[in-house]
Amino acid sequence: MIVNDRITDYIRSLESSQGSLLDSIEQEALRDRVPIIRRETAALLRTLVGALRPARILEIGTAVGYSSLLMCRVMPENCRITTIEKYEKRIPAALDNFKKAGEEGRITLLAGDADDLLAGLKGQTFDLVFMDAAKGQYLHWLPMILKLMPEGGVLISDNVLQDGDIVESRFAVERRNRTIHSRMRRYLYELKHRKGLETAVIPIGDGVAVSTKYTERME
């Protein structure tokens, strides 16, 4: 946990049901160890989508469709989601969940590698981007994502604090996690120092970065 366990438990206890379908998807994902966003992160995501009222959303990392359907609950009726998933075994479950929710008309799932699919989206724009996929690729994908965002567009990056390991020395992290640890630290530095981005790093869930794209003005 990044913050005090008692505080996290209390925040989660305040959450209400998101409906029988989403509750079922959440329970099955936790049972089968499918990575989905934590409840406090889900609340932040819903709040931002509801406040920003985007017309087009891009999600990188569909898993079983849980986050997409959470966003559908609060996004404008005319909003559309494009979501990318590479892991073939999860795609049928996601499509089935979209159908069960009656949202297959508002969600388009692109199956394949994000590198290729992001390049294929050139010329399109997305008001909000939710990134929740391979953590070691965030830095690599960032330039491609920013090209798809208009001024005022918002990028939400999940799992950026790695259960608190991000503050540890590289050599204090398990050897198998060192590459991801190093890349995530570089990613967060880039978000905080890149011209044209304003970023807040929020220590909830597994860490969330919220970045807004803007055009720099001459002083």
Side-chain angles (χ1 to χ4, degrees):
M1 290 291 180
I2 296 169
V3 297
N4 183 286
D5 288 359
R6 290 179 63 198
I7 298 228
T8 299
D9 289 342
Y10 173 68
I11 292 172
R12 289 179 179 174
S13 75
L14 296 173
E15 291 300 315
S16 57
S17 169
Q18 293 302 306
S20 59
L21 176 60
L22 278 167
D23 289 349
S24 174
I25 294 171
E26 179 190 33
Q27 291 165 10
E28 289 178 10
L30 293 174
R31 181 196 67 202
D32 298 336
R33 297 186 177 182
V34 175
I36 60 171
I37 58 175
R38 304 180 190 188
R39 286 189 175 186
E40 60 274 31
T41 307
L44 176 63
L45 179 63
R46 294 194 310 270
T47 300
L48 289 172
V49 172
L52 296 168
R53 298 188 61 77
R56 301 192 69 198
I57 296 173
L58 173 63
E59 177 185 50
I60 304 172
T62 314
V64 292
Y66 182 68
S67 298
S68 289
L69 292 176
L70 283 174
M71 291 189 282
C72 280
R73 288 178 62 86
V74 292
M75 70 189 195
E77 185 62 34
N78 65 346
C79 181
R80 297 293 181 269
I81 296 175
T82 298
T83 182
I84 294 172
E85 179 56 49
K86 181 179 181 179
Y87 191 39
E88 293 181 1
K89 291 184 178 180
R90 293 192 182 127
I91 291 171
L95 292 173
D96 186 53
N97 287 330
F98 297 156
K99 186 175 181 179
K100 287 178 180 177
E103 294 289 4
E104 65 268 43
R106 295 203 296 170
I107 305 173
T108 300
L109 192 155
L110 303 180
D113 190 277
D115 279 10
D116 300 326
L117 295 171
L118 287 172
L121 295 174
K122 183 178 179 181
Q124 300 185 46
T125 57
F126 298 90
D127 309 301
L128 186 145
V129 179
F130 179 51
M131 185 145 61
D132 186 21
K135 314 305 174 252
Q137 297 301 312
Y138 282 16
L139 184 65
H140 172 65
W141 291 331
L142 182 61
M144 292 184 278
I145 289 169
L146 292 178
K147 289 179 181 178
L148 300 174
M149 292 169 55
E151 182 175 6
V154 173
L155 167 62
I156 303 170
S157 308
D158 196 18
N159 304 116
V160 297
L161 296 183
Q162 301 181 323
D163 277 326
D165 279 353
I166 200 74
V167 301
E168 302 294 342
S169 159
R170 180 175 184 272
F171 299 102
V173 177
E174 289 186 35
R175 183 180 296 273
R176 63 189 175 88
N177 293 330
R178 287 178 183 173
T179 297
I180 293 176
H181 175 268
S182 175
R183 289 179 181 178
M184 186 57 75
R185 288 184 71 129
R186 288 167 55 201
Y187 178 68
L188 289 175
Y189 185 90
E190 183 69 13
L191 290 183
K192 292 296 292 183
H193 293 83
R194 189 182 185 102
K195 293 181 179 180
L197 275 186
E198 189 63 46
T199 297
V201 181
I202 306 170
I204 65 166
D206 195 18
V208 180
V210 180
S211 308
T212 300
K213 180 179 177 180
Y214 69 95
T215 301
E216 283 196 305
R217 267 64 172 185
M218 296 293 292
E219 295 185 0

